[in-house]
Amino acid sequence: MNAGDLVSILLTIDGADESLRDLVNSHTVDALVCLAAGAGATEGSSLLAFYRETGARDALSSAAGASAAIRFTEWDAIHVPSCATPDAMAVPAALIFAQDHAVYVKAVAAGHAVGVALSEAVGGVSALPETWPGLFAAPAVAAVSAAIALSLSGEQVAQALVLSMAGSSGRNGRPSGMPSARWLVIGEAVLKGIRAALAAKAGIKGDLELLSPGWMKGQAAAAVALEPAHVDPLAIARVGMKPFVSARQGVNAIQAFRHLLEKGVDPGAVDSVEVFLPPVAAPVASRPLMAEDRLSTIAHLGLQLGIAALEPARLTDVDRSRPFNAEVLAFAELVTITADETLAGEGWPARVVLTEKGQTREGIWTQACGEDAQAMLGRKIESLPAKTARQLQRLEAALADADAAAVQEARSLLMELTDTSFPRSEAA
């Protein structure tokens, strides 16, 4: 499958379709929620400062910084089977160029489609940890979103795609420290993708046969040939927003546990909690806790359940710089995680069994019974500082009305969020 074939599928996307517009609008607001939260965190603000100070303070550097900050939060939307996180790349890249709402919708949807396709073909979760599918696909997401937002021809979009992927890989190792290269590489990939779109606009040509079966296989041991079946124009519908700042592997367990709490479980009376996860999800959620390592506190499911039980506001704490109290850490010790091969489904379903004063309670949560997306988005907005929350609520309404100025309003908010030091949320 060459790049032209892939792009011909993307160009069938109808940016005027109302249901698709609603999806893109929600993902746009969600990405900007994550950007606002990231901008108010220590590491996120450092990433944004880097792009302001080393760039030209222009739209390109703002988009790159926004992408890095959005992805840094670990609160952005994800397509679970492929580990693709295209919101972080597609929304900023499309926003800085789109002048029309329908074109913007098409650009974001196309970015999601190519991001999921490449992430699936490179192996998805099976490619980890050697290759990070989301990073592998990031330049292509940005390139396609920017190229379509610029209203380039199909040939130029295809050139932008291959120019962005030439020399790319999803291999990033395991960077440590803060600020971390884990997030910087996302910003750099988006910058490369946007510049590839501008290069294609300028007439620069690449190899339209680049995405060959042999090239794909060279990217990861789990990779397969890229086929038309991988390219779903409506892939954005399968990219789910995250309700909490958490590794996606543990989100359903947190939901199941919260459901038990809502039924009247007393956290102080809990004797033990056993969480059953699919074998592919269990290793991340059961890594040893390192309280000084931000990503560890986001992935460690025992700590996340302790937060849900005793400090629920911190489920939206992106920064994680404030120490966790002794009660939360003690609760984390009560949690064990077991891999369960009977838990099937690409949404990583979870079963939680807890004992309270000798009584056993059980909760099950699957992808199919998730929280209403609009309710989740509203809750995420409300966790932000009041001024920013009001801005996002106004934008949400403008996008829902397909207001001609809504894309410009979203672009202005992105530029504002990347150019200013924002106050932290109450959770942080």
Side-chain angles (χ1 to χ4, degrees):
M1 183 182 194
N2 69 26
D5 296 330
L6 191 159
V7 168
S8 68
I9 299 173
L10 301 181
L11 295 181
T12 65
I13 295 172
D14 179 7
D17 180 83
E18 186 174 346
S19 60
L20 181 60
R21 184 196 70 203
D22 291 345
L23 276 170
V24 169
N25 288 348
S26 293
H27 281 264
T28 299
V29 175
D30 188 64
L32 292 174
V33 167
C34 293
L35 175 56
T42 303
E43 188 169 358
S45 62
S46 296
L47 288 163
L48 293 174
F50 169 78
Y51 280 101
R52 285 196 302 271
E53 293 164 9
T54 61
R57 289 180 175 263
D58 60 4
L60 270 66
S61 57
S62 290
S67 294
I70 292 168
R71 188 73 276 278
F72 148 80
T73 64
E74 291 285 355
W75 205 12
D76 55 320
I78 185 171
H79 177 253
V80 170
S82 72
C83 295
T85 49
D87 276 22
M89 305 93 198
V91 170
L95 270 185
I96 63 171
F97 292 118
Q99 301 300 316
D100 174 87
H101 199 162
V103 171
Y104 172 71
V105 168
K106 184 171 185 175
V108 172
H112 280 72
V114 74
V116 170
L118 287 169
S119 297
E120 283 185 329
V122 84
V125 69
S126 298
L128 297 168
E130 175 194 24
T131 299
W132 180 7
L135 173 60
F136 170 69
V141 176
V144 166
S145 296
I148 291 178
L150 285 163
S151 297
L152 301 189
S153 68
E155 163 72 14
Q156 289 172 314
V157 175
Q159 294 292 351
L161 171 59
V162 296
L163 289 170
S164 73
M165 294 302 290
S168 294
S169 84
R171 296 179 178 88
N172 191 42
R174 291 190 175 278
S176 59
M178 192 282 287
S180 173
R182 180 176 177 84
W183 318 117
L184 176 69
V185 293
I186 294 293
E188 294 301 286
V190 167
L191 197 57
K192 181 184 181 185
I194 293 172
R195 288 184 61 79
L198 295 174
K201 182 181 180 183
I204 296 175
K205 309 285 186 185
D207 178 6
L208 295 180
E209 302 295 332
L210 176 69
L211 308 178
S212 67
W215 184 85
M216 286 297 304
K217 195 63 182 175
Q219 308 310 308
V224 298
L226 184 63
E227 301 287 352
H230 288 120
V231 189
D232 175 9
L234 297 179
I236 190 172
R238 297 186 285 126
V239 178
M241 291 183 286
K242 280 187 185 179
F244 318 114
V245 178
S246 172
R248 180 57 180 82
Q249 288 89 338
V251 164
N252 284 340
I254 298 171
Q255 292 279 45
F257 180 69
R258 290 176 74 244
H259 186 60
L260 292 174
L261 292 175
E262 289 167 359
K263 288 186 173 182
V265 167
D266 175 9
V270 171
D271 301 310
S272 66
V273 181
E274 188 169 10
V275 178
F276 297 88
L277 296 174
V280 72
V284 170
S286 58
R287 287 176 186 165
L289 176 62
M290 299 173 60
E292 70 281 0
D293 180 347
R294 175 181 171 271
L295 281 181
S296 175
T297 71
I298 289 172
H300 190 276
L301 190 52
L303 181 67
Q304 292 285 70
L305 297 189
I307 293 169
L310 300 164
E311 288 191 276
R314 293 198 71 180
L315 287 172
T316 61
D317 175 11
V318 166
D319 199 35
R320 299 292 170 114
S321 61
R322 179 163 54 87
F324 291 96
N325 65 44
E327 290 79 8
V328 168
L329 295 173
F331 194 97
E333 295 291 329
L334 303 176
V335 180
T336 59
I337 297 169
T338 301
D340 185 347
E341 293 185 356
T342 69
L343 288 172
E346 64 179 29
W348 294 337
R351 182 163 64 96
V352 175
V353 179
L354 65 79
T355 58
E356 176 193 15
K357 296 179 180 179
Q359 180 182 358
T360 299
R361 296 174 181 257
E362 180 175 318
I364 298 174
W365 204 270
T366 68
Q367 186 184 37
C369 60
E371 182 180 5
D372 175 75
Q374 284 307 117
M376 181 199 308
L377 187 53
R379 184 165 50 77
K380 292 175 75 166
I381 291 172
E382 289 169 4
S383 73
L384 298 172
K387 176 187 174 184
T388 308
R390 288 193 296 271
Q391 288 176 301
L392 284 160
Q393 287 162 348
R394 286 196 299 270
L395 174 62
E396 189 176 27
L399 288 168
D401 291 340
D403 188 326
V407 173
Q408 173 62 46
E409 184 177 343
R411 177 163 55 249
S412 297
L413 183 54
L414 180 143
M415 298 295 287
E416 180 182 339
L417 289 168
T418 56
D419 192 46
T420 311
S421 177
F422 272 77
R424 300 185 183 190
S425 68
E426 181 180 344

